[in-house]
Amino acid sequence: TRRKWLQTGVGLGVMAQAGAQQRGRDGTSPDMWGKAVAGSAGQRGQWLKDSRFAMFIHWGLYSELGGRWNGKTYYGISEWIMTRARIPASEYEKVAARFNPAAFDAREWVRTAKSAGMRHIMITSKHHDGFALFGSAASRFNIVDATPFRRDPLKELSEACRAEGLRLGFYYSQTQDWHERDAVGNSWDFKGDGSFPSYLEGKAIPQIKELLKNYGPVAGIWFGHTGSDHPRAVEDAGGPGTRSAAAVPGEQPHRQRTRRLRHPRGYGD
């Protein structure tokens, strides 16, 4: 009835208003970024408040599979197919041999974002599958060394963003890495006998530093879930969130990082 529709509309309006008040008029979220960033008009937070509209790209080795493995379709977010299908790390590695996005055009992507009114781009540099979408000395499981593509799309995107006046930031999964025995998440291959600090110091932190050193000004680092429900992830006395966060201001002190590293609710994927 018309009355029910009106009641529903009022209810949604109240919810939207409450959400807007929680986020603040600038559209940022204190729960995600922390009060110092979300409520500050300082130099570090001002660009984020001004940006407001951005493109978040999930792209990686999982894109080659398109949600299918061994003739079966796995519905849901495609970047989780390795765990949904329980794909062995040794088999998943073979997908890299046919991952060749030869038509990739960084300038076209950036111009598309810009023409839509977007002011910054965030892209998955390494998701939970452990595959790096950039050249890395810390692990050969990356798009430059392990695929026929042999190009570094993040390098190309960083150059295109600078040319078009957009900011570029990176998502990075620092705790879950299904390719590594010492990391968190792959219970079908590895039986919890690894050393998380070895992974953190040997792969995650070195790769975070590579992102911060090799790609010009970085708008921010969007870290993955902290893995607080995984005992191995807190084996390191400093905590993976604290150790990962420490790498950011040391390399680029003016960049943002998401508060999900230390958030008690464990926001993230």
Side-chain angles (χ1 to χ4, degrees):
T1 65
R2 184 173 182 270
R3 183 176 182 180
K4 287 184 177 180
W5 278 107
L6 288 173
Q7 289 174 338
T8 301
V10 170
L12 291 173
V14 171
M15 290 171 63
Q17 183 179 13
Q21 290 174 348
Q22 180 181 7
R23 291 189 300 272
R25 289 187 301 173
D26 53 30
T28 59
S29 167
D31 276 349
M32 178 60 75
W33 295 97
K35 293 180 180 178
V37 173
S40 172
Q43 183 177 1
R44 286 188 63 208
Q46 189 61 47
W47 75 264
L48 181 63
K49 295 195 292 184
D50 292 341
S51 181
R52 300 177 65 87
F53 186 34
M55 177 182 287
F56 200 129
I57 303 169
H58 278 64
W59 185 40
L61 203 54
Y62 43 83
S63 305
E64 178 69 24
L65 299 178
R68 290 183 62 81
W69 180 255
N70 287 342
K72 181 179 178 181
T73 298
Y74 290 84
Y75 295 98
I77 48 180
S78 61
E79 61 268 24
W80 281 74
I81 190 171
M82 186 177 175
T83 185
R84 291 177 184 274
R86 292 295 191 262
I87 305 174
S90 58
E91 291 298 311
Y92 193 79
E93 282 183 357
K94 297 176 183 178
V95 178
R98 64 178 192 266
F99 185 53
N100 188 19
F104 169 70
D105 186 334
R107 185 63 66 90
E108 181 182 5
W109 285 25
V110 173
R111 285 176 173 169
T112 297
K114 185 176 181 179
S115 66
M118 300 176 187
R119 298 181 182 178
H120 72 276
I121 293 174
M122 191 73 65
I123 187 170
T124 49
S125 63
K126 178 178 81 77
H127 211 274
H128 304 329
D129 61 352
F131 179 77
L133 203 63
F134 60 98
S136 173
S139 170
R140 290 188 60 80
F141 192 46
N142 68 75
I143 194 168
V144 176
D145 294 319
T147 77
F149 188 54
R150 302 294 182 192
R151 288 159 52 189
D152 188 331
L154 299 194
K155 180 75 71 175
E156 296 176 26
L157 274 173
S158 67
E159 294 169 356
C161 281
R162 285 196 295 273
E164 295 294 332
L166 270 66
R167 294 177 182 265
L168 178 66
F170 304 121
Y171 169 99
Y172 186 88
S173 176
Q174 81 290 346
T175 301
Q176 293 198 65
D177 188 318
W178 305 326
H179 183 258
E180 305 296 334
R181 177 182 297 277
D182 291 326
V184 166
N186 186 340
S187 59
W188 57 97
D189 277 330
F190 314 124
K191 306 305 179 184
D193 55 349
S195 168
F196 185 79
S198 296
Y199 155 74
L200 193 66
E201 298 290 348
K203 182 177 181 180
I205 291 178
Q207 286 191 333
I208 293 168
K209 289 184 175 181
E210 287 174 337
L211 290 170
L212 294 169
K213 285 182 177 180
N214 300 335
Y215 296 89
V218 176
I221 297 291
W222 187 295
F223 286 109
H225 188 268
T226 60
S228 58
D229 54 336
H230 299 281
R232 291 175 58 211
V234 294
E235 179 182 334
D236 169 26
T242 302
R243 302 287 289 282
S244 301
V248 177
E251 302 297 343
Q252 298 207 29
H254 300 296
R255 301 312 101 198
Q256 306 298 327
R257 64 174 184 267
T258 50
R259 196 176 176 220
R260 67 200 318 196
L261 279 175
R262 298 169 178 165
H263 201 285
R265 298 179 189 172
Y267 286 152
D269 45 3

